[in-house]
Amino acid sequence: MKAAIVKKKGTIPVMGHFDSPVATGGQVIINVSATALSRVSKFRSMGKHYSSEVNFPIVAGIDGVGTLEDGSRVYFALPTAPYGSLAEQTVVNEKLVVRLPDGIDDLTAAAIANPAMSSWAALVFRAGFKSGQTVLINGATGASGSLAVQIAKGLGAKKIIVTGRNESKLHSLGADEAIAFDMTADYGQKMFENGLMPVIAEGVDVILDYLWGDSAFAIMAALSKNNTDRVTRFVSIGTSSGQENINLPSSILRSSTIELVGSGDKSVSKADMLSAVQGVFEMAAEGKIKIDTTEFALENIEEAWNAPLTPRPVVKVR
């Protein structure tokens, strides 16, 4: 079968032929129709993600959309190695398959699943979000952050605050408050922290952080100076800033009501992740959340792999 194959660690996939999969007990064969490219999918496929556990060569891709033998449209996640989602067929644990509702097309489902699932899981399962709460989204201009705004609205957030580096996009997201920052400027971190103070004066219930680094530190520093006793659940989802480590003084946590947690594939169960994606699909089918996509053919996998992640690149397999 045709497949996008990663031949050795750290390299991008190339088109080739791979043996067709065979299902054993508890597995199903998927006829793949579309696969989106996300940061985690690319890094995991190349063996550069903390969750990578692969021997090369492998078929790239960690999730996608396709059909079962009976023609049912499904979303699937984490194919059984060495198979991935960027091939005509793959094999998946039958428990890692979600039926698609009517009202959502294959390309949208493939594109929206990963970025929206991470936001939904972080909000619902890690932050314990409840309707009527205030949410701050740090890094809201990326695909996941933009979807998080829509999801928070759909789940009943009372107030949404967005922060990020692209000021014009921030103001297009439909949030209640938008604060841009430039960490490369002199005193950029301190200016961002000072700008946050009046906006969060009444407190924040949930923070979804896709960036980490200096901006995350500035947010926590601002919260530590707040007089409210409102508990803030700070959820670290990603490190898109490129800064894996920050110098976080103990005093910030001791002088605040911040509860710091992470959200990812080791902190959210597979069952909860699939529950999250089901909720995402239902919300998308109702037209409450949307995502922009760019379509590529499987034969153009190298071009797709190098494309920007916004709009979300989606590889059409069939």
Side-chain angles (χ1 to χ4, degrees), residues 161-177:
I161 304 164
V162 292
T163 62
R165 291 165 285 199
N166 187 329
E167 185 170 6
S168 61
K169 186 167 183 181
L170 278 176
H171 289 286
S172 72
L173 295 175
D176 299 289
E177 300 278 358

Side-chain angles (χ1 to χ4, degrees), residues 119 123 135-141 144-152 160-164 170 173 175 179 204 206-210 219:
S119 302
L123 267 173
V135 179
L136 188 155
I137 301 167
N138 187 38
T141 58
S144 295
S146 298
L147 284 168
V149 176
Q150 300 177 57
I151 291 169
I160 300 174
I161 304 164
V162 292
T163 62
L170 278 176
L173 295 175
I179 306 173
V204 177
V206 175
I207 295 171
L208 300 185
D209 175 55
Y210 295 92
I219 291 170

Side-chain angles (χ1 to χ4, degrees), residues 5-315:
I5 304 168
V6 180
K7 295 187 175 181
K8 61 181 181 179
K9 183 176 180 179
T11 62
I12 69 172
V14 295
M15 276 299 298
H17 286 85
F18 211 83
D19 290 341
S20 297
V22 176
T24 56
Q27 297 179 329
V28 292
I29 296 293
I30 307 287
N31 296 307
V32 183
S33 59
T35 297
L37 297 181
S38 61
R39 187 173 183 270
V40 64
S41 180
K42 291 166 67 173
F43 275 61
R44 184 164 174 157
S45 296
M46 294 188 294
K48 297 169 68 174
H49 191 261
Y50 70 87
S51 65
S52 298
E53 296 178 4
V54 294
N55 295 312
F56 297 92
I58 64 165
V59 177
I62 64 168
D63 66 344
V65 168
T67 56
L68 300 174
E69 289 183 359
D70 64 3
S72 300
R73 293 193 313 134
V74 296
Y75 165 80
F76 63 90
L78 303 177
T80 303
Y83 295 98
S85 57
L86 284 161
E88 294 178 295
Q89 286 189 323
T90 194
V91 60
V92 185
N93 185 315
E94 62 185 2
K95 295 181 179 180
L96 300 180
V97 171
V98 174
R99 303 277 175 144
L100 292 182
D102 294 334
I104 184 170
D105 62 84
D106 288 358
L107 266 64
T108 298
I112 212 166
N114 184 276
M117 172 175 31
S118 66
S119 302
W120 187 294
L123 267 173
V124 175
F125 298 117
R126 298 300 286 158
F129 171 82
K130 294 179 176 58
S131 179
Q133 291 187 324
T134 294
V135 179
L136 188 155
I137 301 167
N138 187 38
T141 58
S144 295
S146 298
L147 284 168
V149 176
Q150 300 177 57
I151 291 169
K153 280 186 178 181
L155 293 176
K158 179 182 178 181
K159 182 179 181 180
I160 300 174
I161 304 164
V162 292
T163 62
R165 291 165 285 199
N166 187 329
E167 185 170 6
S168 61
K169 186 167 183 181
L170 278 176
H171 289 286
S172 72
L173 295 175
D176 299 289
E177 300 278 358
I179 306 173
F181 58 75
D182 179 4
M183 293 300 167
T184 65
D186 291 339
Y187 307 107
Q189 182 176 316
K190 181 57 66 176
M191 287 189 292
F192 179 44
E193 180 184 328
N194 292 339
L196 282 166
M197 294 298 292
V199 176
I200 64 171
E202 295 180 0
V204 177
D205 299 294
V206 175
I207 295 171
L208 300 185
D209 175 55
Y210 295 92
L211 301 180
W212 200 236
D214 294 338
S215 62
F217 176 82
I219 291 170
M220 286 187 272
L223 284 168
S224 71
K225 297 171 184 176
N226 209 336
N227 292 323
T228 179
D229 58 359
R230 197 167 173 177
V231 174
T232 301
R233 183 67 62 91
F234 188 109
V235 187
S236 175
I237 304 173
T239 56
S240 293
S241 68
Q243 294 177 273
E244 184 69 32
N245 302 306
I246 62 173
N247 181 17
L248 180 61
S250 171
S251 59
I252 284 184
L253 298 179
R254 287 185 283 113
S255 62
S256 70
T257 53
I258 298 171
E259 296 179 354
L260 184 59
V261 300
S263 186
D265 67 351
K266 296 293 179 70
S267 59
V268 181
S269 71
K270 289 183 175 63
D272 283 344
M273 280 295 190
L274 290 177
S275 174
V277 81
Q278 187 71 61
V280 165
F281 289 150
E282 291 171 0
M283 195 176 280
E286 295 170 0
K288 294 181 179 178
I289 52 176
K290 299 178 181 179
I291 188 170
D292 294 328
T293 61
T294 303
E295 183 180 332
F296 296 88
L298 181 60
E299 288 75 13
N300 297 327
I301 183 59
E302 293 180 56
E303 180 185 358
W305 202 263
N306 292 317
L309 293 179
T310 305
R312 182 66 71 180
V314 182
V315 178

